[in-house]
């Protein structure tokens, strides 16, 4: 059984000068979806409140030397549903390598209609695997422990939506193929992920 760590979500609606802290991601998503907003998850309510008091600004990421590879992420940072991001270590978008072609927005990301952020992470992992296999790249990186440790291995609750379960099966098969040729799927902190879309759930 997977034990979930309680999280707190701080948000700022920049066009309405409204902010707050709640302990439920679905409620936070409803508040910020489709609006100009900044939001971030925290392990404690005090950390979330302190972030708001300091202006709710995202930290500047520390530069680190990244391994050559394929990086993936999903996020709701622009407030218009879920976006999927797949890049290389230099932040170069790679979703144009997917065949058949998927719809890519002006930011080089794939917009997913009516999906959760976790579904977006799983879909991003699928695209990363497809690109890595095609390009014979041996390294894939993501910042979702749920996807890396469970869903991409086929470990998923049967209570979830059928499309998520089906996608998990597809991704687990791709991952087996990828790892059978020496590929590795690794964790990277969200703050260091070049594919990052600005929010870590």
């Amino acid at each position: 059984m997977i034990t979930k760590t309680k999280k707190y979500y701080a948000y700022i609606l920049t066009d309405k000068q409204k902010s707050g802290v709640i302990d439920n991601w679905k409620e936070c998503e409803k508040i910020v979806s489709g609006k100009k907003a900044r939001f971030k998850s925290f392990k404690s309510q005090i950390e979330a409140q302190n972030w708001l008091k300091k202006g709710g600004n995202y930290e500047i990421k520390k530069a680190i030397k990244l391994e050559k590879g394929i990086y993936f992420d999903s996020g709701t940072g622009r407030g218009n549903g879920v976006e999927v991001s797949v890049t290389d270590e230099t932040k170069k978008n790679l979703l144009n390598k997917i065949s058949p072609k998927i719809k890519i927005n002006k930011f080089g990301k794939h917009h997913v209609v009516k999906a959760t952020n976790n579904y977006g992470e799983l879909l991003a992992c699928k695209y990363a695997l497809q690109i890595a296999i095609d390009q014979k790249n041996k390294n894939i990186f993501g910042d979702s422990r749920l996807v890396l440790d469970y869903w991409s291995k086929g470990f998923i609750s049967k209570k979830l939506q059928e499309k998520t379960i089906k996608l998990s099966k597809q991704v687990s098969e791709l991952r087996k193929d990828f790892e059978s040729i020496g590929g590795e799927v690794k964790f990277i902190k969200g703050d260091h992920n070049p594919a990052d879309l600005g929010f870590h759930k």
Side-chain angles (χ1 to χ4, degrees):
M1 185 172 142
I2 303 167
T3 305
K4 281 193 170 182
T5 305
K6 189 173 181 69
K7 287 189 178 182
Y8 294 85
Y9 304 92
Y11 66 87
I12 298 173
L13 300 180
T14 54
D15 53 348
K16 294 186 179 179
Q17 298 299 306
K18 182 180 174 184
S19 64
V21 176
I22 52 180
D23 63 0
N24 183 302
W25 164 241
K26 287 188 178 180
E27 288 302 313
C28 182
E29 189 174 30
K30 283 180 191 174
I31 293 167
V32 301
S33 183
K35 300 177 182 73
K36 290 183 179 178
R38 295 194 303 274
F39 47 95
K40 190 173 178 182
S41 68
F42 296 89
K43 291 180 182 177
S44 74
Q45 190 170 5
I46 292 170
E47 286 178 306
Q49 288 168 340
N50 285 339
W51 183 71
L52 289 177
K53 283 178 187 174
K54 292 176 183 175
N57 295 312
Y58 297 119
E59 297 87 0
I60 297 170
K61 296 175 188 177
K62 294 177 184 175
I64 63 162
K65 185 167 175 60
L66 296 170
E67 287 185 61
K68 185 175 180 181
I70 311 294
Y71 293 78
F72 71 89
D73 189 33
S74 173
T76 55
R78 274 184 267 273
N80 187 27
V82 174
E83 285 183 43
V84 167
S85 172
V86 181
T87 75
D88 66 11
E89 68 282 0
T90 68
K91 295 189 179 185
K92 179 183 175 186
N93 289 311
L94 299 175
L95 284 174
N96 60 339
K97 306 290 184 189
I98 294 293
S99 182
K101 296 292 183 188
I102 58 171
K103 190 172 181 181
I104 299 171
N105 66 20
K106 65 181 181 179
F107 304 104
K109 313 304 179 187
H110 174 48
H111 183 245
V112 187
V113 180
K114 294 182 182 177
T116 64
N117 191 60
N118 286 331
Y119 179 88
E121 290 276 2
L122 185 60
L123 185 59
C125 184
K126 176 186 174 180
Y127 293 156
L129 284 162
Q130 289 174 330
I131 293 167
I133 291 168
D134 183 60
Q135 294 187 349
K136 296 180 174 52
N137 196 309
K138 296 296 172 75
N139 294 309
I140 289 177
F141 301 87
D143 57 41
S144 168
R145 285 288 189 192
L146 178 66
V147 168
L148 293 174
D149 298 341
Y150 298 97
W151 287 10
S152 68
K153 295 179 178 180
F155 304 128
I156 190 165
S157 170
K158 301 302 178 193
K159 294 178 183 177
L160 291 169
Q161 288 185 351
E162 183 60 35
K163 70 173 186 177
T164 307
I165 296 168
K166 185 179 176 181
L167 181 59
S168 172
K169 187 175 180 181
Q170 292 172 357
V171 173
S172 67
E173 290 301 318
L174 274 170
R175 181 168 178 169
K176 283 176 193 171
D177 292 343
F178 177 64
E179 291 178 334
S180 73
I181 57 173
E184 289 185 78
V185 181
K186 306 173 189 177
F187 175 77
I188 185 171
K189 287 184 178 180
D191 288 345
H192 298 148
N193 188 351
D196 175 51
L197 281 163
F199 178 68
H200 316 295
K201 184 171 180 300

